[in-house]
Amino acid sequence: MTEHQVFDLGDFTTQHGATLRGAFLAYTTYGELNADKSNAVVYPTWYSGRHWDNEWLIGPGMALDPAEYFIIVPNMLGNGLSSSPSNTPQPYDRARFPHITVYDQVAAQYRLVTEQFGIERLALVTGWSMGAGQTYQWAVSYPEMVERIAPFCGSARTSLHNKVFLEGVKSALTADAVFAGGWYGDVWPTTGLRALARVYAGWGFSQAFYWEKEYEKLGYTSLEDFLIGFWEGFFLDNRDPNNLLAMLWTWQNGDVGRTPGFDGDTEAALASIKATALVMPAVKDLYFPPEDEEWAVGHIPNAELRVIPGIWGHFAGHGSNPEDTRFIDTALRDLLAKPGGLA
């Protein structure tokens, strides 16, 4: 389902003081909002993901069943569908697109949820990777509104190790001479995109995933076939380089402690969460290891850590492995059966 709707944000001022004029948020919904507006779920997108990339976790008989819940999937600012470097007019176009924080992302989504739909409570916010970061941010920014959160394979604060990985991704892309400081034309820096993909390939899945040649289950016939067909193909799938860099900056600077009022104190921000939380890191995730999220859970008043087993690493949250999908779906079902933190 590639169709989407657009919410007009008007003049949207970022946390760092830039104003995007005529800003907009692309989104889609699944299901119907009930009479008392108590069945709303927000499920944000992830790094380079679009709303349809979230559909693997939505469907009849699943925890996120559109027959029961009204599921809103907002596209992140910077992903090419919402306001992004690739679709913003001068002077904030391309390399001049302003820095967008996770706080900004959620502030825009809050406007969509409240102004477009008149929703005052959210039964659940959930998301993978950068979607998990936005999930944490929802609970910190709007603690009286969010009843439950289920961030999976993501973090409340981007670790130093994760920042180092992202520096490698950024350097691989921008080293391509065609990139031209972000002012490339119709010809994209595909050499840089392919290099970025190969940097990503060593991190998205675990060492054991490669040892066991799990990529064969995805239909790839050799390691090189996987690197080209999956990874290079992934980032050559109409993912604009400036958009990737805009979202990378958001990811790299993710920290709920930077929410206004907390002065950089991540622990205090986590302690302010009132939602019932079920946090799901993957046991072999190289970006967001379980010990990092165990630390986060230790500061949230009503939180459970439930580690996703298996060897698919970060991509346990991508919907590619049926066993991981069942684990996440079961966890969401368990969480939704509990009273929300605001009940």
Side-chain angles (χ1 to χ4, degrees), residues 136 155 157 159 161 287-297:
Y136 279 115
S155 65
R157 180 178 68 189
S159 70
H161 185 244
Y287 304 137
F288 308 104
E291 54 267 31
D292 287 3
E293 299 323 293
E294 182 179 9
W295 170 84
V297 164

Side-chain angles (χ1 to χ4, degrees), residues 25-139:
L25 200 62
Y27 70 96
T28 195
T29 64
Y30 307 81
E32 300 292 334
L33 189 61
N34 61 13
D36 63 1
K37 301 184 178 182
S38 63
N39 68 334
V41 173
V42 172
Y43 182 14
T45 57
W46 37 272
Y47 181 71
S48 85
R50 288 72 60 103
H51 56 269
W52 59 84
D53 294 311
N54 281 9
E55 291 183 345
W56 61 273
L57 198 54
I58 301 169
M62 302 186 75
L64 300 185
D65 189 335
E68 185 172 357
Y69 292 100
F70 179 61
I71 304 146
I72 306 167
V73 180
N75 288 274
M76 282 202 304
L77 296 168
N79 84 336
L81 296 177
S82 295
S83 286
S84 303
S86 63
N87 60 27
T88 297
Q90 295 177 339
Y92 277 124
D93 62 318
R94 298 185 286 172
R96 277 287 188 266
F97 193 73
H99 289 153
I100 305 292
T101 63
V102 181
Y103 175 82
D104 293 328
Q105 299 282 3
V106 171
Q109 294 166 24
Y110 173 80
R111 287 191 52 196
L112 166 67
V113 168
T114 57
E115 296 175 21
Q116 183 70 18
F117 300 109
I119 295 168
E120 297 179 354
R121 290 289 181 93
L122 293 173
L124 172 70
V125 182
T126 189
W128 174 52
S129 196
M130 281 187 76
Q134 292 165 82
T135 297
Y136 279 115
Q137 186 66 58
W138 260 103

Side-chain angles (χ1 to χ4, degrees), residues 204-240:
F205 295 93
S206 74
Q207 298 95 329
F209 173 92
Y210 285 104
W211 178 266
E212 298 292 339
K213 298 183 179 179
E214 289 287 291
Y215 49 80
E216 292 178 352
K217 293 181 179 179
L218 296 175
Y220 296 96
T221 51
S222 67
L223 178 60
E224 186 67 8
D225 186 45
F226 182 58
L227 293 177
I228 296 173
F230 181 89
W231 282 108
E232 293 186 18
F234 188 95
F235 284 104
L236 291 171
D237 183 20
N238 202 32
R239 288 171 166 87
D240 182 276

